[in-house]
Amino acid sequence: MVQYELPKLPYKYDELEPFIDTQTMKIHHTKHHQAYTDGLNKSLESIGGASHPQYISSILSDLKSIPESGRGDINFFGGGYENHKLFWDTMTPNSDGTPGGKLEDAMDVYYGNFENFKKVFSEQAISIKGSGWCWLVFNSTFNKIEIILTSNQDSPWTLQKHPLLGLDVWEHAYYLKHQNKRLDYVESWWNVVNWDYVGNRFSELTD
Ligand code: MN3
């Protein structure tokens, strides 16, 4: 059976300072993400994980294939595992600040320009009621980028949408530093987005 492990961060806990603080990064990764990882392994085991050997993003894309008794847990813990993995990978201490390339061209088409894309995304992110995520996804049915929101740990894969960039808008992601000021968190986060990584994800889908 596939055993999931806590993915390593591509940078050190303090390297996203001053935008994302060290203590938040450490707790978020070693406690929260670890708990989703453990929960995913336990959930898979409880439904006989050996019969679901494919990677978690494939499982989330087809949750109906999971016995109903285990579906909620797989959705939550599998989503939590996969969402956070992407969250870490799409941040960097060396952000160059703009997507460039084909991704920025797509933003120009659907959002006017990059600055307006950021504005719309930020407004959506701060509008989330309770806990959830704000996403830039690729919708392969209509061959376009979209901004979507999901609740709790629901993954865009469960909507058959390919996540390109995701922002964790659970309080555990920002409360130690920003308390209730969610917009401050969102605006800090823009400074550490790894646009090379996000742009490559987009290019791989659209080449
Ligand atoms: Mn989180």
Side-chain angles (χ1 to χ4, degrees):
M1 189 185 113
V2 182
Q3 278 285 328
Y4 290 87
E5 286 178 13
L6 182 66
K8 289 203 180 358
L9 294 189
Y11 38 77
K12 297 198 178 70
Y13 292 121
D14 63 357
E15 279 190 289
L16 301 181
E17 293 270 9
F19 305 110
I20 312 275
D21 62 289
T22 309
Q23 197 190 8
T24 297
M25 283 300 299
K26 206 177 267 182
I27 296 172
H28 202 172
H29 183 243
T30 63
K31 305 294 183 195
H32 293 276
H33 200 180
Q34 183 70 60
Y36 297 122
T37 307
D38 295 343
L40 172 58
N41 286 327
K42 232 174 106 191
S43 314
L44 283 170
E45 203 180 315
S46 74
I47 55 159
S51 59
H52 298 279
Q54 71 278 50
Y55 189 72
I56 187 61
S57 53
S58 311
I59 296 174
L60 291 168
S61 302
D62 187 20
L63 275 178
K64 292 186 304 301
S65 68
I66 298 290
E68 212 171 338
S69 62
R71 216 172 280 165
D73 279 354
I74 297 285
N75 183 53
F76 183 77
F77 293 112
Y81 171 84
E82 185 68 5
N83 294 345
H84 285 84
K85 188 169 184 293
L86 182 67
F87 186 53
W88 311 133
D89 284 343
T90 52
M91 293 194 287
T92 173
N94 308 305
S95 174
D96 64 5
T98 53
K102 286 169 63 177
L103 180 56
E104 193 161 334
D105 291 346
M107 288 171 178
D108 290 347
V109 170
Y110 294 105
Y111 298 96
N113 54 51
F114 174 55
E115 280 310 311
N116 195 54
F117 163 80
K118 284 205 319 192
K119 185 168 168 277
V120 175
F121 189 102
S122 298
E123 284 167 359
Q124 289 287 308
I126 62 171
S127 79
I128 291 174
K129 305 244 180 355
S131 298
W133 290 73
C134 186
W135 302 97
L136 170 66
V137 298
F138 182 67
N139 179 334
S140 56
T141 309
F142 297 108
N143 201 40
K144 66 193 282 276
I145 55 167
E146 294 172 354
I147 296 170
I148 64 166
L149 303 178
T150 60
S151 295
N152 300 314
Q153 294 297 351
D154 291 359
S155 160
W157 292 115
T158 62
L159 307 167
Q160 285 74 50
K161 292 184 178 174
H162 194 117
L164 300 171
L165 173 68
L167 176 60
D168 187 342
V169 197
W170 283 54
E171 282 186 347
H172 69 226
Y174 63 87
Y175 207 83
L176 289 176
K177 183 178 167 78
H178 297 288
Q179 295 82 47
N180 62 322
K181 297 183 287 290
R182 202 182 248 183
L183 182 61
D184 287 0
Y185 161 62
V186 176
E187 288 184 342
S188 283
W189 170 77
W190 286 122
N191 292 287
V192 293
V193 174
N194 188 343
W195 288 114
D196 283 346
Y197 184 87
V198 178
N200 284 338
R201 281 177 80 86
F202 180 66
S203 295
E204 280 168 14
L205 292 169
T206 51
D207 272 347

